[in-house]
Amino acid sequence: MSREQDDMLRRGIGMTSQRTRERLIQRLYEEGVSNPKVLEVIRRTPRHLFVDEALAHRAYEDTALPIGHNQTISQPYMVARMSELLLEAGPLDKVMEIGTGSGYQTAVLSQLVERVFSVERIKVLQDRAKERLVELNLRNVVFRWGDGWEGWPALAPYNGIIVTAVATDVPQALLDQLAPGGRLVIPVGSGEVQQLMLIIREEQGFSRRFLGSVRFVPLLNGPLA
Ligand code: SAH
């Protein structure tokens, strides 16, 4: 990490109590997040900069919070868990994220993998997320305003894909864009019945693991201005 980036992230720390942040890390650890890199990145990423000022005092609670447009910033536990699942088999080079939202998961990922390709359908959310990442000097991310059901075929294949909204079915385009050995972490279902899934492209076909029930906003159709 550059000196400048380190300073920037540290300044963020001054804005909310260090103790509140430590409590969050402790809680994630107790809930089973065990990858030390993931915990360290969450510790140093200023989540309060990804929500409205009015909600900043709640930024280190382990809960989703509204970010406007009927969307939410993901719960820290889910961000940590999904990142850990992506990285379980070793470091990753190219990772595509569907659902930039506030950019918080994007910021976490960008400190854990080589390059992030982030797709979002709501332009104003993505523009704001972009600004935040520049402010934090996290520069290994490129953004596309578009429909996550289609992925980002021009830059495929990806070693990892993470979807931060719940899909009724696993989008075929995302399976097609996985590199051999690539990992897709995606919530699948609808309403109250949602399961987190890890899908891996094996030499022949795909393996699937179900990882328990979750709660996400829906993966909608088509881009939106
Ligand atoms: N990881 C984000 C979560 C945002 S909520 C964060 O922590 O802030 C889910 C996001 O997925 C929303 O921003 C929503 O607009 C976006 N989304 C929903 N359907 C989509 C689609 N079809 N394509 C791209 N993004 C989509």
Side-chain angles (χ1 to χ4, degrees):
M1 190 186 310
S2 74
R3 174 87 185 282
E4 188 189 351
Q5 192 177 339
D6 201 46
D7 281 353
M8 182 66 91
L9 294 172
R10 216 192 307 277
R11 224 176 308 149
I13 290 174
M15 293 175 66
T16 55
S17 135
Q18 183 65 37
R19 245 186 312 150
T20 321
R21 289 176 164 221
E22 289 303 330
R23 261 204 304 271
L24 173 62
I25 302 307
Q26 185 59 33
R27 181 177 163 144
L28 298 182
Y29 178 76
E30 282 162 9
E31 287 185 353
V33 177
S34 61
N35 184 321
K37 283 192 192 138
V38 171
L39 289 169
E40 180 49 33
V41 165
I42 296 214
R43 173 184 281 119
R44 71 175 182 228
T45 304
R47 189 168 184 256
H48 64 276
L49 301 183
F50 291 82
V51 294
D52 267 6
E53 252 172 84
L55 286 172
H57 67 289
R58 299 190 55 197
Y60 299 97
E61 291 176 17
D62 189 20
T63 173
L65 294 168
I67 55 171
H69 306 269
N70 271 331
Q71 304 304 324
T72 54
I73 182 172
S74 305
Q75 180 194 5
Y77 173 76
M78 280 322 306
V79 172
R81 184 79 188 109
M82 289 169 89
S83 303
E84 182 171 83
L85 285 166
L86 270 184
L87 293 167
E88 208 175 42
L92 294 178
D93 166 12
K94 290 176 67 184
V95 173
M96 174 165 66
E97 173 190 49
I98 306 298
T100 316
S102 67
Y104 176 66
Q105 169 89 67
T106 324
V108 168
L109 276 176
S110 79
Q111 298 171 78
L112 291 165
V113 305
E114 289 286 315
R115 287 176 296 167
V116 181
F117 303 81
S118 189
V119 180
E120 167 62 54
R121 69 185 281 277
I122 301 178
K123 191 152 193 324
V124 289
L125 282 181
Q126 188 163 60
D127 287 344
R128 186 72 195 95
K130 252 187 229 179
E131 290 169 11
R132 292 183 177 118
L133 266 74
V134 169
E135 279 163 32
L136 294 172
N137 203 27
L138 299 170
R139 301 190 181 269
N140 56 341
V141 183
V142 287
F143 296 91
R144 172 179 153 102
W145 173 46
D147 184 358
W149 283 94
E150 291 165 14
W152 193 340
L155 302 180
Y158 305 95
N159 309 108
I161 302 178
I162 182 170
V163 183
T164 72
V166 63
T168 45
D169 296 294
V170 179
Q172 184 59 42
L174 301 188
L175 294 174
D176 294 344
Q177 289 166 36
L178 267 187
R183 306 162 73 81
L184 165 63
V185 179
I186 180 170
V188 180
S190 63
E192 309 265 313
V193 189
Q194 306 181 7
Q195 279 279 327
L196 188 63
M197 279 182 85
L198 169 65
I199 299 172
I200 301 173
R201 179 182 279 252
E202 309 287 359
E203 263 174 48
Q204 308 223 319
F206 295 89
S207 68
R208 292 174 159 73
R209 239 165 83 194
F210 287 91
L211 295 150
S213 53
V214 288
R215 196 69 199 268
F216 281 87
V217 294
L219 188 69
L220 301 170
N221 285 306
L224 193 81

